[in-house]
Amino acid sequence: SLENMEEAITSSGGELETHRDRKGGMRPETLLDSTRSEKTRPHSNEEGEHDVCAALRESDTFWLLHIPGRCVASDSSEAILVEEANGRYRSLVKWRQGSELYVDVAIQTVNNISKTKEIQSMSVACIPNHSQVTGWEIHDAPHSNQAAVTHEGVLDGPSSLVSENQNFGAKLGKRREAQEVAAANTNPTASLLDLIALDDAMANMDKAILQNVYHEKMLLYRNQQVAHKDASTENDRAIKQLWNFRSTATDGRNVSCIAWNKIKHDLLVVGYGEFEFTSQRDGLVAFWSPKNPEFPEWTFTTPFGVTAMDFSSTNHNLLAVGLYDGTVSIYDVRAPTDKAILESGHGVPGKHSDPVWKVRWVKRGADRDETLVSISTDGRVTQWSLKKGLEYIDLMKLKRVPRKTTVVVGTNSNSAPQNQTEAFISRRGSGTCFDFSSKDGSIYVAGTEDGMLHKCSCSYSEQYLESYFGHDGPVHQVRWSPFASNVFISASADWTIKLWNEESTSPVITFQSGNEQISDVCWSPTNSTVFASTSWDGQLEVWDISKSTLKPMVSTTVLGEKLTCLLFSETSPIIVAGGHSGIVGVFRLVGVDRPDRDVNEHRLMEAMASNFSAREH
């Protein structure tokens, strides 16, 4: 007990004095005992003359892990030295650019040994919650959000919209009070269109409604089976129109070109521009999607009519646009703006002096960058590089080649035939279209206004590799077969479509079904013997070389429309065709075979050989 301890301390007082006299001070282990002993023993004068001192010392610090930092305080003495070193490094990097005194040297470094560390944590528990709302609450929700911002503390925030049933009435009363306060302090003439995110909400609601309206047509667009009320089956060959991409913003504008995005296969970009010089106006580019067939996702205008477009296959957000004034522009579709990121002209040399009739992104190898190629009626086939701005190289300056004709001089039957050549006012050729070979990315065929096609190489800019004669009018389109590397097809204003073999200067097969200009032609991406064409009389025709070369397999007529361009879809049996009034029709091709890709090339060559032998007989 405490009393016994005190008695023991008191009885040992002589020993305590002995320690004090020998050491000159009190020992720490007896400090507490001596303090407690004061209750039973009075202080002596000798004890009061000595001060008791207790010293606390800090032990040495040792580190388990020490990693020196890379940053220093701005007010430290080392900050000046660090700023000077950083300045010297920045100046070194600045002067290194473009200098021949520096070279890149690769070295091998030793990678630090990494150590994997794992931790465990409790799984997040999710609790479902729900609430009941009415239509007028949804309508007034934007006002309540504004009231929560302007009158802090009135609402509990967004979490009040998700409440338990027992608190629903109380929070609903608060929401009504906030709406009344907001209505009192809000300008009564403010438009509903000024509400935050109202445009996006209405656009999403419009898409949801249209998906229900176009539900059956959307299934056909995706090549899904739909129960038909009539007796027709999916095996009957036909072209069925699903809908038209059309809006008030595009009415009355001529559809000059169309292109699919290479990664978003449902995103269709349409260019609007007039072909005639006297009808020129500003151009328009519209982005259409099946999500909303009645209004484009986004549009932007151009100072001149749009004549050509193409999406990049490497950078899927880059869109190349050719204009009627000869400008070649590059747009980044991720940024909703009508300003091009790169553009020829305005200080950038190489601008075409005539309309650009076609642009195409070309990748000539896995180790080479993608480049842009354009053609114009100024006679230039130009390659554009994006490495340093927009640099150009003329791959070819087209020159007119005379047609050699044989005539008989005089009326005497014994007269010998003589060769005559055309006389040209200008030797410059006018390019209208081109396409690169599917086998060799450096070989392309260019069509001209005088009806001739020229095979050219990117390595030779002075002469043609071959010239093909056969058309009597301007060539509107030429496309290389995606399955046979030596076959291409062309469409002309002379009412005909011609199939060519690159080894022969004469056409292999000629197709004609009407008396109007053929505006466009396109190969099917799934069947090597099938191609489609459009004409100025509104005819959309699908040909199958293996079936017949005299008449199209299926066709349809768009009444009162002059069709100007068409394109196959890569993922569905869909054809899109544009007209002069601003509509883009979406057609579904029914009953066409889809053979394996391995046999497609053989089917095309066999069909061409059989038709050639039949023509000889």
Side-chain angles (χ1 to χ4, degrees):
S1 62
L2 181 59
E3 291 77 8
N4 297 333
M5 184 181 297
E6 291 177 352
E7 294 176 358
I9 295 174
T10 303
S11 62
S12 59
E15 183 179 359
L16 182 62
E17 292 178 0
T18 304
H19 287 293
R20 186 181 295 112
D21 295 338
R22 185 168 54 239
K23 298 296 183 178
M26 185 176 290
R27 294 178 60 178
E29 58 268 18
T30 61
L31 179 61
L32 180 59
D33 297 337
S34 64
T35 305
R36 290 181 178 177
S37 65
E38 292 176 358
K39 297 181 179 180
T40 59
R41 177 168 70 88
H43 292 280
S44 63
N45 295 332
E46 185 179 359
E47 293 177 356
E49 294 176 356
H50 296 276
D51 295 331
V52 179
C53 298
L56 300 178
R57 296 184 178 88
E58 183 180 0
S59 62
D60 295 337
T61 303
F62 62 92
W63 301 89
L64 296 178
L65 175 63
H66 176 65
I67 300 177
R70 300 182 60 188
C71 301
V72 296
S74 59
D75 55 351
S76 64
S77 59
E78 298 179 0
I80 300 177
L81 300 178
V82 173
E83 287 293 338
E84 293 177 355
N86 292 340
R88 290 193 300 270
Y89 178 76
R90 283 193 295 266
S91 62
L92 177 65
V93 174
K94 178 180 178 181
W95 291 106
R96 178 184 174 182
Q97 298 178 357
S99 176
E100 298 180 356
L101 301 179
Y102 296 91
V103 294
D104 293 331
V105 179
I107 62 173
Q108 184 176 3
T109 59
V110 179
N111 297 327
N112 295 329
I113 300 176
S114 59
K115 182 179 180 180
T116 304
K117 303 180 69 174
E118 299 180 356
I119 60 172
Q120 292 182 349
S121 62
M122 298 296 293
S123 60
V124 180
C126 299
I127 301 176
N129 206 338
H130 64 278
S131 64
Q132 293 181 350
V133 294
T134 60
W136 56 268
E137 286 184 273
I138 298 176
H139 180 270
D140 295 337
H143 296 285
S144 64
N145 292 336
Q146 290 183 357
V149 176
T150 56
H151 304 278
E152 184 178 1
V154 178
L155 287 180
D156 293 336
S159 61
S160 63
L161 299 178
V162 182
S163 61
E164 298 181 358
N165 291 333
Q166 59 268 25
N167 298 328
F168 179 77
K171 294 187 178 181
L172 180 59
K174 292 183 179 180
R175 192 179 301 119
R176 290 177 179 174
E177 294 176 2
Q179 292 170 4
E180 294 176 358
V181 174
N185 298 331
T186 304
N187 185 6
T189 61
S191 175
L192 290 176
L193 296 179
D194 296 334
L195 298 179
I196 300 174
L198 181 61
D199 292 342
D200 296 337
M202 294 179 64
N204 293 332
M205 182 178 63
D206 191 18
K207 292 178 182 178
I209 295 174
L210 290 176
Q211 289 296 313
N212 293 332
V213 175
Y214 289 87
H215 178 67
E216 183 176 345
K217 295 181 179 180
M218 291 295 176
L219 292 177
L220 295 175
Y221 180 88
R222 298 298 181 188
N223 200 24
Q224 301 293 329
Q225 297 295 331
V226 178
H228 297 276
K229 298 180 181 180
D230 53 7
S232 62
T233 62
E234 290 291 320
N235 295 327
D236 298 336
R237 296 187 179 93
I239 299 179
K240 298 182 179 181
Q241 186 171 6
L242 300 182
W243 66 78
N244 290 329
F245 286 126
R246 185 176 186 177
S247 69
T248 55
T250 61
D251 285 341
R253 292 180 176 269
N254 178 64
V255 179
S256 57
C257 51
I258 51 181
W260 294 102
N261 188 268
K262 300 300 190 300
I263 188 172
K264 299 291 185 181
H265 300 290
D266 290 335
L267 181 60
L268 180 69
V269 58
V270 182
Y272 301 86
E274 301 297 332
F275 293 145
E276 300 295 334
F277 177 77
T278 56
S279 304
Q280 285 304 307
R281 55 183 296 191
D282 61 333
L284 180 71
V285 178
F287 295 81
W288 292 94
S289 172
K291 296 179 181 179
N292 190 345
E294 297 183 1
F295 199 81
E297 298 286 338
W298 173 47
T299 61
F300 66 85
T301 58
T302 57
F304 299 92
V306 179
T307 53
M309 288 187 309
D310 191 29
F311 267 112
S312 171
S313 59
T314 302
N315 301 311
H316 309 292
N317 57 298
L318 296 184
L319 175 66
V321 178
L323 303 182
Y324 191 85
D325 70 329
T327 302
V328 176
S329 305
I330 309 295
Y331 290 87
D332 188 352
V333 300
R334 296 175 299 182
T337 178
D338 57 355
K339 184 175 179 59
I341 59 175
L342 294 174
E343 189 177 32
S344 64
H346 305 288
V348 179
K351 178 183 176 182
H352 291 286
S353 58
D354 277 359
V356 179
W357 293 114
K358 190 170 184 178
V359 292
R360 173 82 181 274
W361 293 93
V362 180
K363 190 173 180 62
R364 301 200 185 111
D367 56 342
R368 303 186 65 177
D369 295 334
E370 191 178 37
T371 58
L372 181 66
V373 180
S374 62
I375 192 171
S376 171
T377 44
D378 62 359
R380 294 167 51 208
V381 180
T382 306
Q383 173 182 293
W384 304 87
S385 176
L386 278 63
K387 288 184 177 180
K388 297 181 180 179
L390 200 60
E391 299 178 340
Y392 81 99
I393 298 176
D394 287 334
L395 299 179
M396 178 64 68
K397 292 184 178 180
L398 300 175
K399 301 179 179 61
R400 300 186 65 180
V401 177
R403 297 173 181 268
K404 295 182 179 181
T405 58
T406 303
V407 297
V408 177
V409 180
T411 57
N412 189 358
S413 60
N414 296 328
S415 300
Q418 297 181 359
N419 292 334
Q420 292 185 352
T421 58
E422 297 179 88
F424 298 134
I425 299 177
S426 173
R427 297 289 299 178
R428 188 190 68 175
S430 300
T432 55
C433 56
F434 72 92
D435 195 21
F436 277 79
S437 172
S438 58
K439 178 182 64 175
D440 189 352
S442 62
I443 301 298
Y444 62 95
V445 173
T448 60
E449 278 189 346
D450 56 1
M452 301 184 61
L453 296 117
H454 305 290
K455 184 172 76 170
C456 310
S457 173
C458 297
S459 304
Y460 304 97
S461 60
E462 298 296 331
Q463 60 183 1
Y464 306 132
L465 300 181
E466 192 65 76
S467 296
Y468 303 92
F469 305 88
H471 285 297
D472 297 325
V475 181
H476 288 159
Q477 188 62 271
V478 58
R479 295 188 188 271
W480 220 290
S481 172
F483 301 98
S485 57
N486 59 340
V487 177
F488 58 92
I489 198 169
S490 60
S492 173
D494 62 359
W495 312 344
T496 64
I497 303 170
K498 296 185 183 295
L499 187 68
W500 305 82
N501 189 318
E502 67 172 341
E503 299 175 356
S504 175
T505 59
S506 300
V508 178
I509 305 174
T510 299
F511 308 88
Q512 181 179 358
S513 62
N515 298 327
E516 278 293 342
Q517 297 188 35
I518 308 299
S519 57
D520 201 355
V521 65
C522 184
W523 289 99
S524 169
T526 58
N527 195 320
S528 61
T529 61
V530 174
F531 65 89
S533 64
T534 54
S535 58
W536 283 12
D537 58 354
Q539 288 286 333
L540 172 60
E541 299 176 342
V542 178
W543 297 76
D544 191 344
I545 305 174
S546 62
K547 304 296 182 181
S548 174
T549 58
L550 300 179
K551 61 179 182 179
M553 178 178 58
V554 289
S555 63
T556 186
T557 302
V558 182
L559 298 177
E561 190 71 27
K562 182 172 72 173
L563 298 181
T564 55
C565 54
L566 86 157
L567 206 60
F568 275 90
S569 172
E570 295 289 340
T571 57
S572 303
I574 297 296
I575 301 176
V576 290
H580 76 291
S581 65
I583 68 169
V584 178
V586 180
F587 302 87
R588 182 171 184 259
L589 193 57
V590 181
V592 177
D593 299 334
R594 298 171 64 91
D596 296 336
R597 188 175 182 87
D598 297 336
V599 301
N600 263 319
E601 181 177 357
H602 301 289
R603 292 182 73 254
L604 177 59
M605 301 308 296
E606 290 175 0
M608 293 176 59
S610 62
N611 283 280
F612 185 76
S613 60
R615 186 176 61 178
E616 289 181 344
H617 292 305

